[in-house]
């Protein structure tokens, strides 16, 4: 293709559109001779690049009509010029679906390179600004690949919209360009329909010899330790550890969970964490034996809240050890101290803690941003909880989880709590092999819940009723009484 006309370089994307020829070009020459040049030829701001008007330029030379130019303003960005070239050429020409699809591929290539260059320029500017800071350059490098991938996705979507090609047509064009590149010019010239070319491309793809399977490298293994010192081999995660995003009604008050410790020895018959562990044994190689995951301690520093959720308080909360009891009697002090030191170093998160052994709280320095909680399912735990929480101070929230509520509970005082959560017992499958059994769901009596809610509100507590009270199996039976 021509890349220059007279003293002007032709914009490379304008060159994507073929010049008109034959009768069509002769018609343009006659029209310009008769009526003159209506649309000026467009040049970039410094008048060195021809942006639009190659056919008109050549027709003016052929007809002896003087050239007339218009110059774009300096504030026209490269992406704006791309859009201008597309809009003018697509409007003038009757293009087939295949021609539009391949045009979209060319546009995507040009726009993607511009977008990635902008990302690189931003990265360079940020790196310059952060020069000398410990985390600056690393942060930019870590995020550059993600930014460029996002730029590619954005350019692909924009290309189809701008040119007027459907996403399906663009995918077909990519298949032809990849597996049958000799058919591209036939589609672009209108000699072959896009769907016919794609059909041949797919046939060629299926005829290709299968690539030999690549051997997956063996994972790097970490040595973790249980509460009693037993060593356990565990595959090292490929990426940086982060919180797990939770989505559902189970812990709707926090959008993250973090398990630097897994496993528990309380032996609760209904434990959902134990059920999950035995359902997915590959996740916890030690089973439900307490295990310290030191490789997860950097998760609070690595996790980022999506910008769209910055103002949602639930996205700032993380449920700690949802698959364990961090403060169980068997947990070594050094495990707790390491987890607490990480919390203290990352105080922007609100850490939701929960234990059936609240007396241990009173012997520790608790993180100020923590929601310190205890779990009560039977009356025998009530006095222990009340005694412990009278001594706890200086934390974000003190809360009480009554889930599952398995019997009517009587508290002497709830004023030491800020928040009370009440829930039912969910159905679980416990044990493996010969020990496998179904533990049915259990819903408390309506009156048990009402008594607790009344006492909590009289004590100034906020109350959260878990959805499983009414939508579980069987679900709490609500009063259904009528006058005699």
């Amino acid at each position: 293709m021509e890349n220059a006309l007279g003293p002007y370089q032709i914009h490379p994307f304008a060159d994507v559109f073929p010049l008109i020829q034959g009768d069509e070009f002769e018609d343009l020459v006659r029209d310009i001779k008769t009526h003159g040049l209506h649309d000026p030829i467009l040049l970039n701001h410094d008048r060195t690049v021809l942006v639009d008007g190659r056919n008109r330029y050549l027709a003016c030379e052929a007809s002896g009509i003087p050239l007339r130019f218009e110059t774009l303003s300096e504030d026209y960005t490269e992406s704006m010029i791309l859009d201008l070239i597309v809009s003018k050429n697509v409007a003038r020409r009757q293009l087939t679906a295949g021609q539009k699809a391949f045009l979209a591929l060319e546009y995507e290539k040009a726009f993607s390179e511009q977008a990635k260059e902008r990302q690189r320029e931003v990265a360079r500017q940020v790196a310059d600004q952060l020069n000398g800071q410990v985390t600056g350059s690393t942060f930019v490098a870590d995020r550059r690949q993600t930014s460029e991938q996002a730029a590619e996705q954005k350019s692909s979507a924009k290309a189809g919209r701008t040119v007027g090609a459907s996403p399906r047509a663009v995918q077909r064009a990519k298949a032809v360009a990849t597996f049958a590149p000799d058919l591209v010019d036939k589609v672009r010239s209108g000699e072959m329909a896009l769907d016919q070319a794609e059909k041949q491309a797919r046939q060629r793809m299926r005829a290709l010899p299968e690539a030999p399977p690549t051997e997956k490298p063996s994972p790097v293994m970490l040595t973790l330790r249980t509460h009693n010192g037993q060593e356990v081999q565990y595959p090292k995660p490929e990426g940086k550890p982060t919180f797990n995003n939770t989505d559902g009604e189970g812990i709707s008050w926090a959008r993250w969970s973090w398990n630097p410790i897994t496993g528990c020895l309380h032996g609760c018959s209904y434990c959902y964490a134990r059920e999950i562990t035995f359902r997915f044994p590959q996740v916890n190689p030690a089973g439900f034996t307490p295990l310290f995951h030191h490789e997860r301690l950097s998760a609070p520093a690595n996790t980022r809240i999506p910008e769209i959720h910055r103002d949602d308080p639930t996205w700032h909360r993380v449920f700690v050890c949802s698959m364990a009891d961090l403060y169980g009697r068997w947990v070594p002090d050094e495990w707790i101290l390491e987890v607490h030191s990480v919390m203290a170093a990352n105080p922007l998160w609100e850490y939701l803690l929960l234990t059936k052994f609240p007396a241990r709280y009173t012997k520790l320095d608790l993180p100020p941003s923590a929601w310190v909680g205890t779990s009560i399912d039977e009356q025998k735990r009530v006095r222990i909880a009340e005694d412990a929480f009278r001594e706890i101070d200086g934390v974000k929230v003190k809360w009480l989880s009554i889930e599952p509520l398995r019997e009517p509970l009587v508290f002497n005082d709830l004023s030491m709590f800020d928040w009370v959560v009440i829930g039912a017992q969910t159905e679980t499958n416990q044990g493996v092999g010969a020990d496998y059994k179904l533990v049915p769901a259990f819903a408390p009596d309506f009156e048990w819940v009402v008594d607790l809610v009344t006492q909590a509100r009289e004590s100034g507590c906020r109350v959260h009723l878990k959805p499983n009270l009414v939508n579980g199996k069987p679900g709490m039976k609500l009063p259904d009484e009528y006058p005699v």
Side-chain angles (χ1 to χ4, degrees):
M1 289 185 182
E2 295 281 343
N3 56 19
L5 279 176
Y8 307 108
Q9 293 295 314
I10 298 175
H11 192 286
F13 190 62
D15 228 6
V16 169
F17 295 85
L19 291 167
I20 62 175
Q21 296 177 351
D23 292 342
E24 191 177 1
F25 180 73
E26 294 301 326
D27 289 342
L28 178 60
V29 171
R30 282 191 294 270
D31 183 76
I32 289 178
K33 278 184 177 180
T34 304
H35 303 102
L37 181 62
H38 289 297
D39 295 329
I41 297 161
L42 286 179
L43 302 176
N44 70 332
H45 74 281
D46 62 3
R47 300 178 67 85
T48 59
V49 178
L50 191 152
V51 173
D52 179 65
R54 293 172 304 148
N55 292 299
R56 300 193 300 280
Y57 188 106
L58 294 171
C60 284
E61 286 190 332
S63 62
I65 300 297
L67 297 167
R68 187 160 54 89
F69 298 95
E70 182 177 309
T71 304
L72 296 176
S73 64
E74 191 172 358
D75 59 359
Y76 255 78
T77 64
E78 186 62 23
S79 61
M80 291 167 66
I81 292 176
L82 292 178
D83 288 348
L84 179 65
I85 294 172
V86 170
S87 65
K88 286 187 172 295
N89 283 276
V90 171
R92 295 189 193 112
R93 305 183 184 213
Q94 297 295 322
L95 301 177
T96 66
Q99 290 169 328
K100 288 183 178 179
F102 280 106
L103 178 57
L105 290 188
E106 295 291 343
Y107 180 93
E108 178 183 339
K109 188 188 307 180
F111 184 82
S112 176
E113 185 54 40
Q114 290 299 319
K116 286 191 284 187
E117 179 55 37
R118 287 195 299 273
Q119 294 284 354
R120 288 191 286 268
E121 180 58 30
V122 169
R124 286 191 290 269
Q125 292 174 1
V126 173
D128 291 342
Q129 293 171 0
L130 297 177
N131 187 29
Q133 297 184 21
V134 175
T135 59
S137 298
T138 303
F139 176 78
V140 172
D142 289 343
R143 302 191 70 167
R144 182 175 300 158
Q145 183 177 5
T146 302
S147 298
E148 293 190 2
Q149 290 171 346
E152 290 178 0
Q153 294 171 356
K154 180 180 178 182
S155 62
S156 179
K158 181 176 174 61
R161 290 195 306 269
T162 304
V163 175
S166 69
R168 176 71 180 109
V170 175
Q171 290 303 316
R172 285 177 167 176
K174 288 182 178 179
V176 175
T178 303
F179 300 106
D182 56 304
L183 302 181
V184 171
D185 286 341
K186 291 186 176 182
V187 177
R188 295 184 63 166
S189 67
E191 180 182 345
M192 177 180 284
L194 177 60
D195 57 348
Q196 294 175 329
E198 187 213 16
K199 184 176 181 180
Q200 291 192 33
R202 297 294 179 188
Q203 290 173 346
R204 296 184 192 182
M205 179 185 68
R206 287 191 287 270
L208 290 173
E210 292 187 10
T214 56
E215 291 187 9
K216 189 174 182 180
S218 300
V220 177
M221 302 302 291
L222 301 175
T223 299
L224 308 184
R225 285 181 170 77
T226 65
H227 67 294
N228 54 14
Q230 179 184 354
E231 293 186 351
V232 176
Q233 295 300 301
Y234 186 80
K236 181 180 179 180
E238 294 182 0
K240 293 182 178 180
T242 59
F243 295 150
N244 294 316
N245 185 229
T246 61
D247 186 16
E249 298 177 335
I251 52 172
S252 59
W253 18 267
R255 287 294 181 176
W256 309 96
S257 65
W258 175 41
N259 282 282
I261 295 172
T262 57
C264 182
L265 300 181
H266 281 307
C268 304
S269 62
Y270 50 80
C271 181
Y272 75 89
R274 183 175 55 219
E275 178 194 33
I276 293 173
T277 297
F278 287 116
R279 191 192 306 169
F280 304 103
Q282 70 277 14
V283 176
N284 291 306
F288 210 47
T289 300
L291 186 67
F292 185 42
H293 288 267
H294 59 80
E295 81 285 3
R296 298 177 182 174
L297 290 175
S298 58
N302 295 334
T303 305
R304 297 289 182 269
I305 300 172
E307 190 62 36
I308 193 174
H309 299 302
R310 287 285 179 184
D311 296 329
D312 184 345
T314 62
W315 284 83
H316 294 258
R317 301 178 195 142
V318 53
F319 187 15
V320 181
C321 289
S322 61
M323 300 290 290
D325 187 335
L326 175 58
Y327 304 96
R329 296 174 186 272
W330 55 87
V331 178
D333 288 340
E334 55 267 27
W335 289 12
I336 298 175
L337 293 176
E338 284 198 57
V339 175
H340 276 200
S341 67
V342 171
M343 295 181 193
N346 297 274
L348 295 180
W349 297 103
E350 295 181 7
Y351 301 94
L352 277 75
L353 312 176
L354 194 62
T355 183
K356 281 189 168 71
F357 189 40
R360 198 161 190 182
Y361 284 143
T362 63
K363 301 176 178 62
L364 298 166
D365 290 327
L366 298 169
S369 65
W371 291 35
V372 177
T374 187
S375 179
I376 294 179
D377 55 357
E378 299 173 312
Q379 183 64 40
K380 66 182 182 181
R381 300 188 188 278
V382 169
R383 184 187 57 80
I384 298 172
E386 290 178 338
D387 291 345
F389 273 76
R390 287 191 185 96
E391 298 183 36
I392 296 172
D393 196 10
V395 296
K396 183 83 174 183
V397 172
K398 296 191 292 183
W399 66 293
L400 172 63
S401 175
I402 307 175
E403 185 189 15
L405 177 54
R406 293 158 53 87
E407 62 184 34
L409 298 180
V410 178
F411 287 84
N412 295 316
D413 183 14
L414 287 176
S415 63
M416 71 282 294
F417 296 102
D418 303 302
W419 188 43
V420 176
V421 176
I422 305 172
Q425 176 175 303
T426 305
E427 178 181 290
T428 58
N429 295 295
Q430 300 289 341
V432 294
D435 296 327
Y436 178 85
K437 64 179 179 179
L438 172 70
V439 178
F442 173 81
D445 287 354
F446 175 77
E447 285 75 16
W448 303 356
V449 176
V450 169
D451 289 345
L452 287 172
V453 170
T454 300
Q455 186 177 7
R457 286 185 167 160
E458 289 175 348
S459 300
C461 302
R462 296 284 183 163
V463 177
H464 176 72
L465 299 183
K466 296 292 287 288
N468 63 10
L469 285 170
V470 292
N471 66 11
K473 300 177 182 178
M476 184 173 62
K477 186 176 181 180
L478 300 176
D480 186 21
E481 302 168 346
Y482 300 88
V484 177

